[in-house]
Amino acid sequence: MDNDRFEKRMELLKKSYERVPSTFDPNTVLQKLEAETKRPESPTGRRKKINQQVVVWVVGIASILIISLIGGLYVADQKNTDEEPVSSEELDQFIEKLKKDYEAEREKRRVLLKLEKQDFDNFDLYSPLSILNLDSYLSTVGQDGNPEGRLMEVYNRAVENIKTPSEMVEDLKSAPLTEDEQGSLEFINTYKEKVERLTAIYDGILEDHDEVLQAYEVDPSLDKAYMIGMSKGAFPKRLQNILDTMKEQSIHLQSDVDSYGEQFFAKYYSSKTHEQIVPLLHPDTMGYLDMMTEAPYIVAGELVYPLEESVDMLRGMEHTLTSVEDDSALTQLLETYFVSMFNTILRGTVKTPVFDEQGKVKQEYKEAWENMASGYDATPLRYVMKPIVEEMEASGWTASETWNRIGYDALKDALVVQRAGQLDMYMYGEQPVFQDEAIQLPDSAFDQNIEALYDSFKKQYDLAVLKGCSPIDIVALYNLANEKNDPEMMYHLHHENVWKYSESGYETSLDQYKSSWQKALSLLPVNDEISFSGDSVFRNNTLLYGTVNLSRQGNVRYALNVIHENEIWYIGDVSLPQLPSNVEQPLTEINEETMKNAIGLYNQISAEKNVDALIGQEPLAVVAVYYYAGFRNDIETLYELYYKGPGDDLVKKEELIKILEPAWPRFNELFTSISFKGLDQDKEGNWPGVATLHVNTEQFPEYEETVELRMIWMEDGWRVKYEP
């Protein structure tokens, strides 16, 4: 590319760039939004404001598009330079076709929006600035390489630019962005910008017909803006057209009454179209989408929404601002709303001050502040509000030193700290690093250490004894206390929060725990590894939570929740599996839901040829699968469901095939109800039980009224006992 062409291109880029504002001031935007809700002093002044608004959109956004266009063409000019050039005549024909096609696309949208040509020109930001004088641009970008391809890219971008908001929604339906955070951001940015283009155009048309709107009479008890929007053919064509079509773009007519009278304006709202967008975008970006329907949040220094609702909106904003990595003007605007709303709730307003006449925080503010300070995670709202709420509670909600001295940008500063990943440390201190640990079982040395720890802790239940113990040690000690029938030690090994219910003030005492305690199965002997991963630890308020896994042959069979505080690990709110002899299920009706669950479990077992799915299943579920396998004449699965172990003759598959009758009746047709009772361990060490099934004798009179099915508990779940 020669120097002259390069200089021309740079000069054009410079002129375009100079049209773009160099800074973004969110506070100015907020002031502008507030100002737009107030009636101007004269119709003439208001018309000037609306017209300027349209001009700003046309020039500002078009300038950005020009920069994008020139930059894209410049890059493209560096590629494909060795491709066969297109003849001048062919290129002229191609350009003319693009122009005609684009005019057709323009007319399609103009008719769709029912806008006059001069109004639609303010929506299409390419054509008014001669972007589609494509032939003149060829002298700038050159005809080397692939000019048709590059011009087609410009054309496609121009068509996308004039798609209406409703068309964008239809495109989104066919290609949802629920997993695409960046794509969702781009959609919201573009969608919001187009909506604002339209509302600016609509506001201009409304201002031009203000006298007609003011003269329109309706019953004083009715919403005048709504009645105008529902009118058919009552107004001049230019006005009536937008009233007929704006709702298709999720925009409707609103009004505001002040000392000057009633003012009409267009407003994007939460329509059915808007609600269709919500499930199609990445959930973390919802704060930006909500802003379109909710803003402005403050008008004339007062909250637009009730306190409780405003706090909920703050939480939604916080989630987006702390979850999405973005530094666009959209984020800056949302952050500005976030900070300004927070400070309004924190300081109160002229109409709704924070303190009552007795100098006490009003109940509605108390609840709002407690809401912002609640939760378990380290968030900007909690970081700022927690000390204020604690100090207010200590003073009877009359004073807080933190509230007195906190600055306007405190929440914004907390956002910065959170984005840097340091808020947890600021709130709770630096989190300890925990090492991974795994012990292969059985391990006699490990067992001896746990026995010694048991004896030491048993003396006085002094928690200092547990300092330095790993989470695996605590779980093994808990398991040993169960084996030794020592519920008192098990109680003391739990973290105190397990026994406290803060909302009700109720607390489980040691005596209450001991009176309801039942011995559980021992976990260690039935597994071959106990392990802990430091990476599993997470913070929940001031506490750290982790998980100890018990595995067999590489498969995690049981996991215990552990809690870390003040250098000590505790058992969390977990229960060991109860003894098979304690398993009892009352008489239960057999219905379609029972059958549905049985079929799902059967499909899992038969498809994978793996009965591990039976681990932890209730005996009634195993019985249902057993009979469903018989209904399917599935001998393979039936055979797997039989108990084969000590104290029982090994049933052979060949014998089973001879004895079993094929095609049993359907389980929920043959039986009406079922119950189960676990029995004491037998002399062979087995844990037996009996399932009692009640027969539908009306349909099957040849059967006995009840059928008893003997079962045996195994480490891999309950099995049916073979009885020839």
Side-chain angles (χ1 to χ4, degrees):
M1 182 172 60
D2 59 48
N3 290 334
D4 288 341
R5 288 164 56 198
F6 179 79
E7 291 298 332
K8 288 180 181 178
R9 196 170 305 174
M10 290 300 100
E11 182 64 25
L12 179 59
L13 181 60
K14 179 176 180 296
K15 290 179 179 179
S16 301
Y17 180 76
E18 287 171 349
R19 296 192 184 102
V20 184
S22 60
T23 59
F24 172 85
D25 185 354
N27 292 315
T28 302
V29 174
L30 284 180
Q31 292 169 6
K32 181 180 177 182
L33 287 172
E34 283 199 30
E36 289 176 0
T37 64
K38 303 175 184 177
R39 183 173 178 84
E41 295 185 3
S42 67
T44 305
R46 181 162 172 241
R47 181 178 294 109
K48 181 179 180 181
K49 178 192 71 176
I50 297 295
N51 291 337
Q52 287 175 341
Q53 203 174 16
V54 175
V55 171
V56 167
W57 278 112
V58 172
V59 176
I61 299 175
S63 301
I64 296 172
L65 293 172
I66 292 173
I67 295 172
S68 174
L69 168 68
I70 299 301
L73 294 178
Y74 177 80
V75 171
D77 191 46
Q78 309 305 310
K79 302 177 181 179
N80 304 318
T81 54
D82 55 350
E83 295 179 8
E84 184 178 348
V86 181
S87 70
S88 176
E89 184 178 350
E90 290 174 333
L91 194 56
D92 288 344
Q93 292 175 355
F94 182 74
I95 290 172
E96 288 305 312
K97 181 179 183 303
L98 286 185
K99 290 180 178 180
K100 289 179 181 178
D101 290 347
Y102 185 68
E103 284 305 316
E105 294 287 348
R106 269 177 53 86
E107 183 61 16
K108 173 183 173 183
R109 271 72 185 193
R110 190 193 68 78
V111 171
L112 183 66
L113 294 171
K114 290 188 177 181
L115 292 176
E116 301 293 326
K117 183 181 182 305
Q118 70 271 21
D119 295 322
F120 185 77
D121 284 347
N122 290 328
F123 182 72
D124 176 7
L125 302 181
Y126 273 87
S127 186
L129 295 177
S130 302
I131 293 295
L132 278 186
N133 289 339
L134 300 177
D135 46 357
S136 66
Y137 276 94
L138 287 180
S139 62
T140 305
V141 303
Q143 297 188 28
D144 300 336
N146 181 21
E148 285 187 349
R150 283 178 279 136
L151 294 177
M152 195 68 202
E153 289 177 8
V154 175
Y155 170 81
N156 289 334
R157 285 203 298 273
V159 172
E160 286 296 319
N161 175 66
I162 58 173
K163 280 188 175 181
T164 65
S166 61
E167 286 181 293
M168 287 187 66
V169 175
E170 291 304 313
D171 289 346
L172 182 64
K173 288 179 183 178
S174 61
L177 299 168
T178 51
E179 303 296 324
D180 186 351
E181 181 183 290
Q182 188 57 42
S184 296
L185 280 173
E186 291 172 0
F187 176 90
I188 295 172
N189 263 306
T190 304
Y191 184 78
K192 181 174 182 292
E193 178 264 308
K194 288 186 179 182
V195 166
E196 288 171 346
R197 275 193 244 167
L198 276 177
T199 53
I201 293 167
Y202 292 156
D203 283 346
I205 295 173
L206 291 170
E207 174 59 29
D208 289 345
H209 296 85
D210 187 62
E211 291 183 6
V212 175
L213 294 171
Q214 297 294 341
Y216 189 77
E217 295 184 359
V218 300
D219 189 305
S221 64
L222 300 176
D223 184 337
K224 186 174 180 179
Y226 175 79
M227 297 305 297
I228 290 174
M230 295 296 293
S231 67
K232 297 294 179 184
F235 300 106
K237 181 179 178 182
R238 183 169 171 242
L239 175 60
Q240 188 66 53
N241 282 344
I242 67 167
L243 294 175
D244 291 343
T245 59
M246 62 168 57
K247 285 188 178 181
E248 296 173 10
Q249 311 308 321
S250 199
I251 299 171
H252 67 174
L253 187 67
Q254 282 194 351
S255 64
D256 181 38
V257 180
D258 55 23
S259 58
Y260 294 99
E262 190 163 16
Q263 166 188 327
F264 298 94
F265 56 93
K267 178 83 166 60
Y268 183 82
Y269 72 111
S270 184
S271 65
K272 289 183 179 179
T273 300
H274 176 83
E275 293 304 318
Q276 289 174 338
I277 301 174
V278 174
L280 302 176
L281 296 176
H282 194 286
D284 288 348
T285 63
M286 284 303 104
Y288 299 121
L289 192 63
D290 291 341
M291 182 170 57
M292 291 185 63
T293 59
E294 295 170 354
Y297 301 90
I298 301 170
V299 173
E302 298 291 330
L303 291 170
V304 172
Y305 303 95
L307 265 177
E308 183 179 1
E309 193 174 345
S310 295
V311 172
D312 289 340
M313 291 176 176
L314 272 183
R315 287 192 173 279
M317 293 178 185
E318 181 180 60
H319 178 78
T320 292
L321 290 170
T322 57
S323 302
V324 180
E325 293 186 11
D326 181 55
D327 193 30
S328 66
L330 194 66
T331 299
Q332 295 177 52
L333 181 58
L334 183 63
E335 184 177 302
T336 301
Y337 281 134
F338 181 57
V339 173
S340 62
M341 273 186 74
F342 169 77
N343 280 283
T344 303
I345 295 172
L346 183 67
R347 298 300 178 187
T349 68
V350 174
K351 293 182 180 179
T352 56
V354 167
F355 296 96
D356 61 19
E357 294 178 356
Q358 287 73 42
K360 193 172 183 178
V361 175
K362 291 180 178 178
Q363 183 64 25
E364 60 266 31
Y365 280 105
K366 175 179 176 291
E367 292 175 359
W369 292 2
E370 287 176 333
N371 189 341
M372 290 189 289
S374 66
Y376 300 102
D377 297 330
T379 66
L381 280 173
R382 284 200 72 223
Y383 176 71
V384 176
M385 288 306 304
K386 195 167 182 291
I388 294 175
V389 169
E390 289 174 350
E391 292 168 6
M392 282 292 181
E393 287 175 341
S395 69
W397 289 90
T398 58
S400 164
E401 180 60 31
T402 303
W403 185 85
N404 289 334
R405 60 180 171 78
I406 195 171
Y408 185 88
D409 288 331
L411 189 62
K412 187 174 183 179
D413 294 339
L415 267 175
V416 173
V417 175
Q418 194 278 338
R419 287 167 178 161
Q422 299 295 310
L423 197 57
D424 267 28
M425 188 181 71
Y426 271 75
M427 290 188 72
Y428 308 116
E430 191 169 355
Q431 180 170 317
V433 176
F434 299 103
Q435 299 299 317
D436 295 348
E437 185 180 7
I439 295 176
Q440 304 305 309
L441 302 173
D443 185 321
S444 58
F446 175 70
D447 293 340
Q448 290 174 9
N449 290 336
I450 300 304
E451 284 280 359
L453 182 61
Y454 178 89
D455 294 337
S456 179
F457 188 56
K458 180 72 175 174
K459 293 175 182 178
Q460 294 180 328
Y461 298 116
D462 181 3
L463 293 175
V465 173
L466 303 181
K467 280 195 174 183
C469 292
S470 74
I472 287 179
D473 294 335
I474 301 302
V475 168
L477 180 59
Y478 185 70
N479 185 75
L480 182 59
N482 170 71
E483 291 178 351
K484 291 179 177 287
N485 299 303
D486 189 351
E488 186 168 356
M489 179 175 286
M490 297 176 75
Y491 180 87
H492 288 295
L493 286 173
H494 279 285
H495 190 274
E496 63 178 6
N497 283 12
V498 174
W499 309 125
K500 295 179 180 179
Y501 303 90
S502 57
E503 292 183 2
S504 62
Y506 177 77
E507 182 174 349
T508 302
S509 67
L510 174 60
D511 289 340
Q512 289 170 325
Y513 176 73
K514 289 169 69 174
S515 65
S516 61
W517 179 82
Q518 286 184 323
K519 187 173 183 175
L521 280 168
S522 182
L523 292 176
L524 269 62
V526 298
N527 294 284
D528 55 30
E529 183 184 77
I530 182 170
S531 62
F532 169 79
S533 171
D535 291 339
S536 72
V537 178
F538 66 93
R539 186 182 292 283
N540 191 337
N541 208 346
T542 59
L543 302 179
L544 297 171
Y545 286 74
T547 304
V548 173
N549 293 322
L550 288 144
S551 309
R552 185 174 180 182
Q553 297 178 350
N555 296 317
V556 176
R557 294 159 59 88
Y558 202 77
L560 283 95
N561 175 298
V562 287
I563 301 173
H564 185 270
E565 185 179 38
N566 298 327
E567 303 179 44
I568 298 175
W569 285 100
Y570 299 86
I571 298 295
D573 189 10
V574 296
S575 300
L576 297 177
Q578 62 180 321
L579 291 178
S581 59
N582 292 332
V583 176
E584 185 172 359
Q585 293 178 270
L587 193 65
T588 305
E589 180 187 357
I590 297 171
N591 51 31
E592 284 296 332
E593 186 65 24
T594 311
M595 209 61 228
K596 180 181 177 182
N597 295 335
I599 293 171
L601 186 55
Y602 168 82
N603 290 337
Q604 187 177 353
I605 294 169
S606 58
E608 301 175 4
K609 303 299 180 184
N610 186 351
V611 290
D612 283 350
L614 295 178
I615 297 175
Q617 293 287 345
E618 295 178 345
L620 298 189
V622 178
V623 172
V625 174
Y626 170 77
Y627 274 97
Y628 185 71
F631 167 74
R632 295 288 299 268
N633 197 24
D634 183 352
I635 304 299
E636 292 287 340
T637 300
L638 274 173
Y639 186 69
E640 290 296 332
L641 293 174
Y642 276 109
Y643 170 72
K644 300 178 279 290
D648 192 69
D649 294 330
L650 179 63
V651 56
K652 294 182 180 180
K653 192 182 299 183
E654 294 77 12
E655 183 179 355
L656 188 66
I657 294 173
K658 292 178 183 178
I659 294 174
L660 292 176
E661 296 180 4
W664 297 359
R666 192 174 174 85
F667 180 59
N668 61 328
E669 295 174 356
L670 178 58
F671 302 110
T672 59
S673 57
I674 183 173
S675 62
F676 180 84
K677 178 68 176 71
L679 304 176
D680 292 334
Q681 195 171 21
D682 63 23
K683 60 182 180 180
E684 282 86 18
N686 295 324
W687 296 95
V690 178
T692 303
L693 299 103
H694 297 262
V695 177
N696 183 355
T697 53
E698 291 184 4
Q699 190 171 348
F700 299 94
E702 70 276 15
Y703 281 68
E704 296 291 336
E705 289 186 2
T706 60
V707 174
E708 286 192 346
L709 200 63
R710 303 287 171 176
M711 303 184 73
I712 300 289
W713 179 86
M714 300 174 60
E715 296 169 2
D716 293 331
W718 288 94
R719 297 291 189 275
V720 176
K721 183 173 170 55
Y722 175 63
E723 294 181 316

